[in-house]
C-alpha cells in the first residue's frame, strides 16, 4: 500500500529516519560503555522495543505497570518502571508481573518503599529498587541533603534489594555553558551521599533525550533512558536535541476546508495530536510541506493552518504531513502506527500500550 492510500489522519513513521535514530543512540552508548534502557512511553509498541534491543538496549523503561505488562506479555524482559508505583491494585499487578519478567522499580521515599513491600507481599523479594534522587526536576526524587544516607538505609531495611540510583535530568531544555558541570556536581554529591549509606552502587540510571548525548560527561552514570529519540518531535528540535530531518513520526492529514480566507483546516486536531504545547513559541506542530504556514490552533477535530504570507495555497482534499510537538502524547491517540519507506507502507504496528494509564 502507498502512504497516500492511507485513510487520514494516520500516524506514520519514516523507517529510514527511525533506523538512523536507533543506530545513533545505540552506537553512542556502545562507544561510551553506557547501558541503553529506552523509555517505551514514546512508541508503546513491543515490536519497536525489540528494534531498540536489536540496536543495543539492555532492557526498557516504562512509566506504568500496564505498559510493562504489555511489553512483558510480548516477551520483553528487564523492565524498569521509572515511576513511584502506588496503590494496592498496581502492587497486586506487580506481584503477578514479576512471575514473568525481571522488574526494577523506582522509589523516592521510605514510605513508598515500605508500602510497596507490604503491598507486594512475598513477591517484593523478586524486584529490585532504584532510588530516585532529585537533581533539579522538582518533580519526584529524594532531596540531596545530609539525610539522604539515612533515608537510603531505611529504604534498604525493607529487604528489597537496592541496586542504585535513578536521576531524571529531563528538566534541562537547553544545554548552555555550565549546564553539564552543574548537573555533574549534583550527581557527584548524590553518589557521595549514597556511598555513606554503605550500599552497593551498581546502577546510576540517568539521561532522557535532551541530555542523552552528554551522558558520558556525567560522573558515575551507567545507563540512560531516552524515549523520544526513536522518533524525535518539534520539541526535540526546538531544544537542539535533534534536527528536522531526524523527526521520524509524522501525521498525514487531509485538508478538509479552505473556505475561510487566509487559512486551511486539516482533519487532525487535539484528538489526533493531543494538545501538547510547544516548549518554545506558539504552534501545534510543523507542516512539512510548508513550515512557514503555522498550525496555529487546534480544536478537537480541526487543525488550523495559517496560510497568509506563507505562499502555500492547498486545495481541499490535498494531503499534508505534520510533525507533532510531542511524539509520545500523539502516539497515545492512535491505534496503529504505519512504518513507511520510499512512500510505501512496509509495516503496520498496533499501538499495544495505547491508553495504558494505570
Ligand atoms: C523518568 C523518565 N525517564 C526517561 C524519560 C524519557 O524522556 P525523553 O522522552 O525525553 O527521552 C522520561 C520521560 O518523561 C521519564 O519521565
Amino acid at each position: 500500500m502507498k502512504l497516500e492510500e492511507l485513510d487520514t489522519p494516520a500516524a506514520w513513521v519514516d523507517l529510514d529516519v527511525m533506523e538512523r535514530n536507533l543506530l545513533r543512540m545505540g552506537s553512542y552508548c556502545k562507544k561510551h560503555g553506557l547501558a541503553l534502557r529506552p523509555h517505551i512511553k514514546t512508541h508503546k509498541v513491543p515490536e519497536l522495543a525489540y528494534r531498540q534491543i536489536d540496536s543495543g538496549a539492555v532492557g526498557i523503561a516504562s512509566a506504568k505497570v500496564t505498559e510493562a505488562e504489555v511489553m512483558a506479555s510480548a516477551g520483553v524482559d528487564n523492565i524498569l518502571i521509572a515511576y513511584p508505583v502506588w496503590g494496592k491494585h498496581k502492587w497486586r499487578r506487580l506481584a503477578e508481573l514479576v512471575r514473568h519478567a525481571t522488574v526494577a522499580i523506582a522509589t523516592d521515599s521510605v514510605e513508598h518503599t515500605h508500602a510497596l513491600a507490604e503491598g507486594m507481599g512475598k513477591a517484593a523479594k523478586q524486584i529490585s529498587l532504584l532510588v530516585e534522587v532529585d537533581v533539579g526536576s522538582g518533580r519526584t526524587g529524594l532531596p540531596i541533603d545530609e539525610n539522604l544516607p539515612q533515608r537510603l538505609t531505611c529504604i534498604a531495611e525493607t529487604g528489597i534489594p537496592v541496586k542504585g540510583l535513578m536521576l531524571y535530568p529531563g528538566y534541562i531544555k537547553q544545554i548552555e555553558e555550565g549546564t553539564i558541570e552543574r548537573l555533574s556536581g549534583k550527581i557527584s554529591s548524590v553518589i557521595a551521599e549514597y556511598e555513606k549509606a554503605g550500599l552497593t552502587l551498581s546502577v546510576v540510571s540517568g539521561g532522557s533525550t535532551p541530555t542523552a548525548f552528554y551522558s558520558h560527561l556525567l560522573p558515575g552514570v551507567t545507563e540512560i533512558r531516552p524515549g523520544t529519540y526513536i522518533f524525535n518531535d518539534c520539541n526535540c528540535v526546538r531544544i537542539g536535541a535533534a534536527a528536522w530531518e531526524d523527526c521520524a513520526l509524522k501525521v498525514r492529514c487531509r485538508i478538509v476546508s479552505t473556505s475561510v480566507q487566509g487559512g486551511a483546516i486539516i482533519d487532525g486536531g487535539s484528538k489526533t495530536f493531543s494538545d501538547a504545547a510547544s516548549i518554545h513559541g506558539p504552534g501545534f506542530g510543523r507542516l512539512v510541506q510548508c513550515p512557514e504556514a503555522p498550525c496555529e490552533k487546534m480544536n478537537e477535530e480541526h487543525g488550523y493552518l495559517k496560510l497568509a504570507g506563507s505562499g502555500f495555497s492547498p486545495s481541499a482534499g490535498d494531503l499534508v504531513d505534520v510533525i507533532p510537538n510531542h511524539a509520545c502524547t500523539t502516539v497515545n491517540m492512535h491505534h496503529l502506527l504505519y512504518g513507511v519507506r520510499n512512500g510505501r507502507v512496509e509495516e503496520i504496528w498496533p499501538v499495544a500500550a495505547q491508553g495504558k494509564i494505570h
Side-chain angles (χ1 to χ4, degrees), residues 37 39 41-42 61 63 82-83 132 139-140 166-168 170 173 206-210 225-229 236 326 328:
R37 181 182 292 286
H39 204 305
K41 77 188 188 76
T42 302
Y83 195 89
E132 185 178 3
R139 187 174 75 172
T140 44
M166 185 176 105
L167 324 160
Y168 178 60
K173 301 296 179 214
S208 53
T209 301
R225 306 180 311 275
T228 313
Y229 82 99
C236 288
H326 189 176
C328 318

Side-chain angles (χ1 to χ4, degrees), residues 42-188:
T42 302
H43 55 71
K44 301 168 175 65
V45 173
E47 289 88 337
L48 293 180
Y50 278 111
R51 295 281 176 99
Q52 291 174 311
I53 290 164
D54 290 345
S55 70
V58 296
I60 57 160
S62 79
K64 303 292 184 180
V65 177
T66 44
E67 289 174 336
E69 286 171 350
V70 168
M71 294 294 152
S73 67
V76 177
D77 198 13
N78 191 352
I79 302 172
L80 166 66
I81 303 183
Y83 195 89
V85 178
W86 267 103
K88 64 178 182 185
H89 302 284
K90 295 187 183 67
W91 296 328
R92 270 190 222 127
R93 298 181 86 127
L94 269 181
E96 178 59 24
L97 180 64
V98 297
R99 297 177 54 218
H100 311 286
T102 309
V103 177
I105 311 279
T107 187
D108 76 343
S109 71
V110 177
E111 294 74 17
H112 172 247
T113 315
H114 279 276
L116 182 67
E118 207 177 304
M120 285 186 71
K122 279 193 201 134
K125 295 264 179 282
Q126 307 289 112
I127 61 164
S128 57
L129 297 173
L130 291 188
V131 180
E132 185 178 3
V133 176
D134 180 15
V135 290
S137 73
R139 187 174 75 172
T140 44
L142 283 170
I144 312 170
D145 59 23
E146 67 288 354
N147 297 320
L148 187 55
Q150 192 224 334
R151 290 193 173 115
L152 288 165
T153 308
C154 293
I155 285 173
E157 276 167 8
T158 56
I160 308 179
V162 178
K163 279 207 305 199
L165 292 162
M166 185 176 105
L167 324 160
Y168 178 60
Y171 65 94
I172 296 174
K173 301 296 179 214
Q174 210 79 52
I175 313 270
E176 289 155 355
E177 216 188 310
T179 305
I180 296 301
E181 289 73 9
R182 279 192 294 281
L183 182 59
S184 296
K186 284 182 192 163
I187 296 174
S188 297

